[in-house]
Amino acid sequence: MDHDIVVVGSVNADLLLEVVRHPHPGETLLGTRSSVLAGGKGANQAVAAARLGASTAMIGAVGSDPYAEVALGELRVAGVDLSQLAVEPGPTGLAVVTVADDGENSIVVIPGANASVSVQAVERASLVIAGARVCVLQAEIPLDAVCRAAELASAAGRRVVLNVAPACTLPVETLRLADPLVVNEHEAAILLGAGTDDSPARSAARLAELGIRSVVITLGAAGVLGVEAGRSWSLPARTVEARDSTGAGDAFVGALAVGLARGNSVEEAALTATRVAAYSVQRLGAQASYPWKDDPLP
Ligand code: RIB
């Protein structure tokens, strides 16, 4: 096996703005501080996995602007294999992240080079996808490329961790390749048809009824629940003081993939992943907030 984990997904620079509270529409608000940090759901998940000691490759794209260096910085330091990462003329993916005093964030993403990660680009990387134990996918690159990556990994007998974030719909055939599908409550509702007011447990059961092998629903401070082989489970979140929740879900997914690559069950992997996510919310930013393998977890 060439890698434990391959991540096919987005790479962004995050322009992080700290504010006392989020602005209302039409309002101008003075913030307290700004930083430019490495982000993007795909890159975040790759860095989370690599910092925990997993051999990790990243398939995606950055642009030709100065933000590319920011976006790649933490991936390089964590030792992620970037040999399949394209550099496209034009802007790198850029996210404006506003973090309020209570740790809650709101994010606007301009895809930039992430939009160039096409079906053909994924197919060019098929050997790397087939050569990793676990393929990790999100929804910040074109969705047909996400579906193709899931097909290639699955056809090679590899495990697919599919994190449908940001919220969107995907063909049920793709969802059925996931083991697990990882979503939050809002993303689960969109997948099941907007407007559903099911409980998280009912949403997980309904997703499993679609023929998805395992389902994980993240609930933030309320923990996580899952369904695997007809059995449901739930785990509490660790209690920590939240500074910034940006990228906590990505830390969870990256750590989950590491546990699965090491042969753990989804529930076992989720237990460690909740601790990794709790570590990350105590610090500012996404990748910069993730633990290294020997850091003590909450
Ligand atoms: O999940 C957090 C991430 O979402 C940020 O790093 C930002 O880049 C957006 O992709």
Side-chain angles (χ1 to χ4, degrees), residues 28-234:
T28 298
L29 191 69
L30 290 186
T32 47
R33 204 159 62 129
S34 67
S35 333
V36 187
L37 300 169
K41 293 186 194 304
N44 293 349
Q45 294 172 8
V47 168
R51 283 191 175 202
L52 293 171
S55 149
T56 305
M58 176 86 218
I59 296 166
V62 292
S64 52
D65 57 358
Y67 282 131
E69 279 309 300
V70 177
L72 294 176
E74 298 285 353
L75 287 160
R76 288 199 182 109
V77 172
V80 174
D81 177 352
L82 299 177
S83 57
Q84 301 296 316
L85 196 109
V87 179
E88 299 290 342
T92 299
L94 181 67
V96 175
V97 182
T98 310
V99 183
D101 269 2
D102 60 4
E104 271 308 323
N105 65 47
S106 66
I107 305 180
V108 176
V109 182
I110 305 295
N114 295 306
S116 73
V117 185
S118 60
V119 167
Q120 293 72 23
V122 165
E123 288 176 344
R124 281 195 294 275
S126 58
L127 286 180
V128 180
I129 293 172
R133 279 178 221 286
V134 177
C135 176
V136 181
L137 305 167
Q138 334 71 34
E140 254 182 2
I141 57 170
L143 296 182
D144 54 355
V146 174
C147 297
R148 187 68 186 126
E151 284 168 8
L152 290 169
S154 187
R158 307 298 174 231
R159 189 158 196 161
V160 174
V161 174
L162 175 57
N163 174 215
V164 187
C168 64
T169 55
L170 283 174
V172 73
E173 296 75 26
T174 301
L175 300 180
R176 288 188 183 130
L177 300 177
D179 187 15
L181 172 77
V182 185
V183 283
N184 64 24
E185 284 176 89
H186 170 65
E187 291 151 2
I190 300 286
L191 276 182
L192 288 166
T196 176
D197 53 5
D198 286 346
S199 68
R202 180 72 196 121
S203 295
R206 283 183 62 196
L207 287 165
E209 282 161 15
L210 295 176
I212 302 167
R213 273 179 229 133
S214 59
V215 176
V216 173
I217 301 198
T218 57
L219 306 169
V224 57
L225 60 82
V227 178
E228 187 178 8
R231 192 179 73 80
S232 27
W233 49 264
S234 67

